[in-house]
Amino acid sequence: MTSRSFLPLVLAGAIAMGGVTLVAGPADAARPERTVPVRLLTINDLHGNLEPPSGSASRILDPKGPLVDTDGKLTGIVGGKYSIAGGAAYLATHLKQHTGRNTMVVAAGDLIGASPLISAAYHDEPTLDVLGQMGLKASSAGNHEFDEGYTELQRLMKGGCHPVDGCSPAGEWEGTDFDFLGANVLKERNDRYALPPYFVKSVNGVKVGFIGLVTATTPTIVSSSGIQGLKFTEEVAAANKVSRLLVRQGVKAQVVLVHEGDQVTPNQDPSACSVTPGNGSRIASGLDPQVDVVVSGHSHQAYVCKTTDPAGQPRYYTQGSSFGRVLTQIDFQVDKRTRDVVRSTVAAANHVVTRDVPEDRAVATSVALWKARSADIANKQVGRITAEIGITAAPSGELPLGNLIADSQLEATRTGGNAQIAFMNPGGVRMPLNYPGSPVGEGDGVVTYGEAFAVQPFNNLTQVITLTGAQLKTVLEQQFVGGPNNQAFTKILQPSSNFTYTYSRSAPWGSKVSAMKIDGVAVTDTQSIRVAVNNFLVGGGDAFAELKNGTDLWSGPLDIDAFVDYLGKHSPVAPPATNRITVVD
Ligand SMILES: [Zn+2]
């Protein structure tokens, strides 16, 4: 535990305003001289995207954007105006351009983890280095901050070299200037906080408290081995407890940074609010009235919403997309006498991180340096593709790239593991493989190690377990919401090409799956089947509880190695068809 984080920290270089503060704010603001203006600039789900993301991962719907999509092929979104967005050096410039008085940069998690090679090659030290340069003051932990385990997250915060890979080319890691916060992450042993639960900053005489939360579903979506001994408790109760503690310390202006969020209606303006109420809305509306603003993440959506707190007051609830494509600006006034946020003064908007601004020179230099360090690894050509292999789901839930990865994992585990079929979790397919035929794609059909790594960045192991036919059917039922395994969203496992089945949209949970076949032969309930999945799924990840009941565990190569091998052996690789699953109503 980092002791430094539990003390209220005073902003170094806080701007002394000489007791007179001129405020431009809404007309109904409290009397200006009695309030201090504060601006938050927030990001979430950067996922180590130091370089500008490419292909569909770079696009964002933007009413001011220059691009009109004509075919909708990349994302399934038809029509609308888009900008190409993201890139740390552009983000740094946008942050500077939006920096006003008493500005703080904070974040809502998943800044690291599932990162491109430039950052992942050095355990995300490059991203943390750059975020420090951008002046980040605090972030909630996200589930992906636990990708390499709690011990590694502590190392990244405190400093020191990696226990296995040693120091990066930059030398001994110095640790972060900010903390990852987790008010709902406790040590099972003694119920103590495993991460600092909050961060307090003084701004021109007023204190602003930030409470960090990570989704309570974290144990179901990260590998269990890295979070042993930790528990992730319900978010609202955990935050309210810290909120009361902060009030006792006189910190009444409170912001919750929560790595949990909601889905939105497609095609919405980044500053609009059309969310499908889920866990994010539950938290945003349930937190104590003392909490003034809720900054969210995790769902990679952009929204600026006004919810209502339990006292009936409006309360902003925001998220800024992903990969550094959007930053959120939140302005408010803190009353010097009550020390609380004047709720009627809160205003928020999302800004697209366009690339029509100059790059921030210092950040661009850092990114270029890390790029050069990782270049030899990243630029190695591993194979070729004949067209973009995308991550847009077919109606069955199959992603072309998900199917390809399942095929690669089956091939890598047949010998040794005796795998007969393979499944890939759809959330682990992070980026498309781009091709020049697509509207904003890049590349020439050559796939580099860096590009392959961007698709499969987790360094998961391929593993093989034995399931009966009946267990396999249970696994596939567990893809759908409504079962006892508590699947939050329908998550269709990506099957290898030799496995086919049918599911019914309307059949009740438990009776959705039928006609399972391996190499065209019907699967029986009692038959033993060797199934290849990654170690995340073997641990019951994504709420696939039945996979934990597999037997005769065998571990194969890393998923990225299996993928790279497959691309090399089968070049040029065409996008696989998405015809392995049949859907009926
Ligand atoms: Zn997340």
mmCIF file of all heavy atoms in Angstrom, residues 45 110 143 259 298, ligand 1:
data_model
loop_
_atom_site.group_PDB
_atom_site.id
_atom_site.type_symbol
_atom_site.label_atom_id
_atom_site.label_comp_id
_atom_site.label_asym_id
_atom_site.label_seq_id
_atom_site.Cartn_x
_atom_site.Cartn_y
_atom_site.Cartn_z
ATOM 1 N N ASP A 45 -10.143 4.537 -20.393
ATOM 2 C CA ASP A 45 -9.935 3.451 -21.356
ATOM 3 C C ASP A 45 -8.949 3.804 -22.476
ATOM 4 O O ASP A 45 -9.181 3.495 -23.637
ATOM 5 C CB ASP A 45 -11.291 2.990 -21.927
ATOM 6 C CG ASP A 45 -12.157 2.376 -20.832
ATOM 7 O OD1 ASP A 45 -12.052 1.171 -20.605
ATOM 8 O OD2 ASP A 45 -12.910 3.133 -20.184
ATOM 9 N N ASP A 110 -8.589 1.680 -16.862
ATOM 10 C CA ASP A 110 -8.186 1.008 -18.097
ATOM 11 C C ASP A 110 -7.276 1.899 -18.939
ATOM 12 O O ASP A 110 -7.331 1.894 -20.168
ATOM 13 C CB ASP A 110 -9.392 0.535 -18.928
ATOM 14 C CG ASP A 110 -9.946 -0.798 -18.424
ATOM 15 O OD1 ASP A 110 -9.487 -1.273 -17.368
ATOM 16 O OD2 ASP A 110 -10.830 -1.356 -19.105
ATOM 17 N N ASN A 143 -10.555 -2.673 -14.576
ATOM 18 C CA ASN A 143 -10.264 -4.108 -14.550
ATOM 19 C C ASN A 143 -8.939 -4.417 -15.228
ATOM 20 O O ASN A 143 -8.177 -5.283 -14.776
ATOM 21 C CB ASN A 143 -11.405 -4.905 -15.197
ATOM 22 C CG ASN A 143 -11.802 -4.377 -16.556
ATOM 23 O OD1 ASN A 143 -12.215 -3.226 -16.679
ATOM 24 N ND2 ASN A 143 -11.653 -5.189 -17.588
ATOM 25 N N HIS A 259 -14.800 3.010 -12.857
ATOM 26 C CA HIS A 259 -14.581 2.211 -14.054
ATOM 27 C C HIS A 259 -15.736 1.230 -14.229
ATOM 28 O O HIS A 259 -15.625 0.027 -13.987
ATOM 29 C CB HIS A 259 -13.235 1.493 -14.011
ATOM 30 C CG HIS A 259 -12.929 0.855 -15.323
ATOM 31 N ND1 HIS A 259 -12.548 1.585 -16.420
ATOM 32 C CD2 HIS A 259 -13.032 -0.418 -15.753
ATOM 33 C CE1 HIS A 259 -12.411 0.779 -17.441
ATOM 34 N NE2 HIS A 259 -12.715 -0.435 -17.071
ATOM 35 N N HIS A 298 -15.157 2.099 -18.968
ATOM 36 C CA HIS A 298 -15.348 0.650 -19.128
ATOM 37 C C HIS A 298 -16.150 0.245 -20.360
ATOM 38 O O HIS A 298 -15.820 -0.736 -21.007
ATOM 39 C CB HIS A 298 -15.992 0.068 -17.862
ATOM 40 C CG HIS A 298 -16.026 -1.439 -17.806
ATOM 41 N ND1 HIS A 298 -14.908 -2.219 -18.021
ATOM 42 C CD2 HIS A 298 -17.045 -2.305 -17.524
ATOM 43 C CE1 HIS A 298 -15.243 -3.500 -17.886
ATOM 44 N NE2 HIS A 298 -16.520 -3.581 -17.593
HETATM 45 ZN ZN ZN B 1 -12.835 -2.007 -18.351
#
